[in-house]
Amino acid sequence: MIKPNFFIVGAPKCGTTALYRYLSAHPDIFMPGRKEPHFFGSDLEHVPIDARSLDEYLALFAPAGDKKRVGEASVWYLVSQTAAQEIAAFNPEARIIIMLREPVDMLHSLYHHLLYSGSETEPTFEAALAAEPDRRAGRRLPPSRRRRQSLYYREIAAYTAQVERYFDAFGRDAVHVILFDDLKRDAAAMYRDVLAFLEIDPGFRVDFKRVNESRRIRSWRLHVAYSLAFRRSMDYLRGPALHAMRKGTGILRSLNTAHAPRPPLDPELRRRLRREFEPEVMRLGDLLGRDLSHWCATDE
């Protein structure tokens, strides 16, 4: 039985897809062909597509053979209240990788990602933020969402408690925190640090090309139709049938996609949110021992 021995646990829109691809290319590392199995996190509202039982989950890693490191990447493990302890019970020797980003940019990017995927229906980022109280009460929830917690934007940006859960569960030496700033500044150096953390040969080189470029929907009517159909199919389809449905939905989504920069964030909303998140950012900086004051700047 092969168990994963490292986990990229989030946060969303912080470079986890890029790191997943970079690590998957390393000859000493195995990661499943699809990111985001989301097997752990029993408190999250979601339906795992690839692994609904322990046997199905472990089957994802069966092809790993004698690879030194076996891992997976599921970004909602970080916001989960239970995933850290569940992963620790599953493999207490696991290594944990956390990726974080300035909260306002992360949330703005996440909003547009959810809008594209059909899990968000509010027409603007500001409206989505304002809808949080209703959504916590079970109102105004998009029918095609995959998990309700992905719409609790401010909770997702409360990084400090999330990181502390993993420090408590695994110890600081087994948790490696990466800032999106580091990835943007020097992806190669960030990658070498991760390989050293995983005790893997740091000399391997990969192509650090950009991933997850911004996208927009061409036809919202078509988008809503296939997103809702796929969400409902997860309740009763399994195995090859579900994968075929996912593949078909992916083809439709690709045909209905235009690649374009996302709309810029309103400067006044950015200033307001940065002031709101400043106490949280200062707590995180103290926890990590890093100066994050630039995340609070309101004169950009």
Side-chain angles (χ1 to χ4, degrees):
M1 178 180 65
I2 299 175
K3 284 186 175 183
N5 53 30
F6 78 92
F7 296 81
I8 303 172
V9 301
K13 312 311 294 179
C14 294
T16 58
T17 298
L19 184 59
Y20 160 80
R21 293 185 182 179
Y22 301 157
L23 292 177
S24 296
H26 197 288
D28 294 332
I29 295 175
F30 174 84
M31 303 190 80
R34 268 185 53 81
K35 187 171 171 268
E36 313 277 3
H38 277 116
F39 180 69
F40 301 100
S42 57
D43 59 326
L44 299 178
E45 177 194 64
H46 70 276
V47 179
I49 297 175
D50 294 310
R52 303 188 193 192
S53 70
L54 180 59
D55 286 343
E56 289 176 333
Y57 180 66
L58 292 174
L60 298 175
F61 308 98
D66 60 354
K67 300 281 188 179
K68 185 173 182 180
R69 285 293 177 184
V70 178
E72 63 121 313
S74 297
V75 299
W76 297 107
Y77 288 165
L78 187 60
V79 76
S80 166
Q81 299 278 338
T82 63
Q85 288 296 332
E86 291 169 6
I87 295 170
F90 171 76
N91 187 351
E93 303 303 317
R95 298 288 180 96
I96 303 297
I97 299 172
I98 295 173
M99 303 186 74
L100 304 174
R101 182 179 184 178
E102 187 275 309
V104 181
D105 283 341
M106 181 275 291
L107 292 179
H108 187 228
S109 179
L110 176 62
Y111 163 77
H112 283 282
H113 172 80
L114 296 175
L115 195 65
Y116 171 78
S117 69
S119 294
E120 175 60 88
T121 52
E122 291 297 328
T124 67
F125 178 45
E126 190 166 15
L129 292 171
E132 284 186 60
D134 278 343
R135 287 167 163 178
R136 289 180 179 278
R139 299 186 295 270
R140 298 169 65 182
L141 294 171
S144 59
R145 73 189 187 279
R146 285 197 62 194
R147 62 187 57 79
R148 185 177 64 256
Q149 289 88 349
S150 67
L151 302 171
Y152 300 167
Y153 293 98
R154 289 175 171 84
E155 183 176 314
I156 296 166
Y159 296 141
T160 307
Q162 299 168 18
V163 174
E164 285 178 328
R165 281 196 289 269
Y166 281 90
F167 283 171
D168 292 343
F170 292 92
R172 287 190 174 227
D173 290 344
V175 180
H176 184 64
V177 179
I178 302 167
L179 301 186
F180 188 71
D181 310 30
D182 303 332
L183 173 63
K184 288 180 62 179
R185 180 172 53 252
D186 192 341
M190 177 277 300
Y191 186 60
R192 288 193 299 271
D193 288 345
V194 172
L195 295 181
F197 170 70
L198 295 176
E199 300 178 325
I200 293 292
D201 175 17
F204 184 75
R205 298 289 182 266
V206 296
D207 179 10
F208 297 107
K209 63 182 179 181
R210 184 177 179 181
V211 298
N212 267 351
E213 294 183 350
S214 298
R215 300 162 292 186
R216 66 172 177 83
I217 297 300
R218 299 179 190 273
S219 167
W220 277 101
R221 182 173 296 180
L222 175 61
H223 178 67
V224 170
Y226 61 62
S227 296
L228 184 57
F230 179 62
R231 175 66 181 86
R232 289 174 174 170
S233 74
M234 291 193 296
D235 294 332
Y236 59 88
L237 293 181
R238 298 292 299 274
L242 181 57
H243 285 277
M245 181 68 176
R246 181 173 62 194
K247 183 176 180 180
T249 303
I251 292 172
L252 287 173
R253 181 176 288 119
S254 178
L255 293 173
N256 194 33
T257 293
H259 292 270
R262 65 175 177 265
L265 179 60
D266 174 66
E268 178 53 36
L269 178 58
R270 179 187 297 278
R271 283 191 289 270
R272 191 164 74 243
L273 290 174
R274 283 195 163 185
R275 286 193 294 268
E276 178 183 338
F277 291 135
E278 183 173 0
E280 170 64 30
V281 168
M282 293 298 100
R283 285 192 294 271
L284 179 66
D286 290 342
L287 178 66
L288 301 181
R290 294 194 63 166
D291 180 7
L292 300 179
S293 57
H294 59 289
W295 283 9
C296 305
T298 58
D299 55 353
E300 294 182 6

